[in-house]
Amino acid sequence: MKASPVIMALRMNIGARSVTLTTPALLFPAISLLLLAYTNRFLVLAQLIRKLADEERDRHQTGTARQIVLLRRRISLTKRMQVAGVLSFLLCTLSMFALFLSLELVGMLLFGVSLVTLSISLIYSLWEVTISTNALNVQLQDIEELRKATSPVASEKTSR
């Protein structure tokens, strides 16, 4: 069976580079730690939502609507980064399997796609961190507004 010109060109370009079974294996610890960090973020988000729901039941807060919007975005991004991270892990595993079967070209391509999906996962993570800091700023604004409303200067002005 004769290889197509595209595959032959890829083989010539890849020929100088060697990917062994250990190359994709280097990603395993990094991806595992990344997925653990993503799981922790998800658990923190779930805890924040439960706390926010309890506070909303107790008393209506002004920043709650803004926080809910930010939490929805963060949940969506966390889901996407987890999916991309798991997909990266799966592709890395398939890459190792292909290399084990001496399918070097397939293994290299799978490893490359694994790196791309890992990068996508990291981009989603960066986006989620940005939204997270915005959510913290919403909390800080609410605290500042409460302090201004309950400060001694404010209560003196209202009593006069």
Side-chain angles (χ1 to χ4, degrees), residues 136-147:
L136 289 173
N137 282 330
V138 167
Q139 283 292 145
L140 290 173
Q141 286 174 354
D142 289 346
I143 292 170
E144 288 172 346
E145 288 172 10
L146 283 172
R147 284 187 171 217

